Amino acid sequence: MRFPSDDELMDGPNAFEGFEDEDFEDAELIEDDPNEQRDPSDTDERDAGLIGADYDEKFRAGFIAIVGRPNVGKSTLTNALVGQKIAITSMRPETTRHAVRGVVQGEDYQLVLVDTPGYHRPRTLLGQRLNSEVRETLSSVDAILFCLPADQKVGPGDDFIARQLRGIKAPIIAVATKVDAVSDERVMKHLLDIDKLGDWEEIIPVSAIKGHQIDRLKQLLARRMPLSPPLYPRDMVTDESRDTMIAELIREAALEGVHEELPHSLAVQVEEIVERQKKPGQNYPAMLDIHVNLFVERDSQKAIIIGKGGSRLKHVGMRARRGIEEYLGRRVYLHLHVRTLKDWQKDPKMLGRLGF
């Protein structure tokens, strides 16, 4: 069995030598796929009792919201608790654009994590909608993790979120993230500052990257979940649709090494996924052709994404392809198209078509 090499894959529609400007002209938005994966909690299967048909009467399951300012390690913590990557991460703030559900499967518990967008003072309609999504999430969970990074001082943004959390009946565990990045003395001071912010059920320091106290955090959460059958199948780690995961992996690759403005202006949408025909005698899955639109707000941002001679877009495609192939378990061929969609963050119609 031999898969095509990187050079072979980039020699064709994925190559950008000699591309023309018209290759990247604006295009109409593609509506969301009506066949995308549904939430298992809304299916007839759960109503029929198939998900929790065989479970111990002491089994516990529930929903946990992960909240905090932008870029405090929420997505990294989510991935560490689940045990694999289901949320994209970036050094850029406000990377998470929607509530990502990850499922932590324990022997006698199931934790459904909702990694929310960073709570912040919004500057655009998109920012307002992200904050509204956080508030809706907080109203319907069994526990909350409030993340405060140890490598940053507790400040006005943290105080703002702490005030929003007051009055919520669900138990709130304050999590000091990124403790591996600072000294023990700095961690102790940080924990004291967190304690002054509010009345927390627990305060726990963790390092998601090194796995420090991740198991303990799982147990703390499990004890606070209600008695319940499993809410999701026991082999599921996320309820994200295939198209959403692919789009997020491409957005993560595109955000690597760019300046601060672009993350807020970039949206990614999968237009079409087509399976190629197998060749005679081929004994591995056929390659998938994935057509994707990357939307920015100005032509200057389009030039940043594409790079000189298409070099940067080629790098984005190669980096994203590795993550997508690991996620899908098969080879893919990415067709990336950069479009300008002026001020889409402020346009209600465009926000709706892009899924916000």
Side-chain angles (χ1 to χ4, degrees), residues 136 163 181 302 315:
E136 289 178 14
R163 283 185 275 112
K302 185 164 73 172
H315 173 76

Side-chain angles (χ1 to χ4, degrees), residues 119-121 131 135 155-165:
Y119 216 173
H120 62 290
R121 297 188 186 278
N131 275 0
R135 286 191 291 270
D158 300 307
D159 182 64
F160 170 75
I161 296 172
R163 283 185 275 112
Q164 307 305 308
L165 295 176

Side-chain angles (χ1 to χ4, degrees), residues 123-126 297 343-349 351:
R123 299 183 301 275
T124 64
L125 179 58
L126 173 61
E297 293 185 302
D343 294 330
W344 66 263
Q345 294 185 83
K346 301 176 183 178
D347 187 328
K349 184 178 180 181
L351 286 173

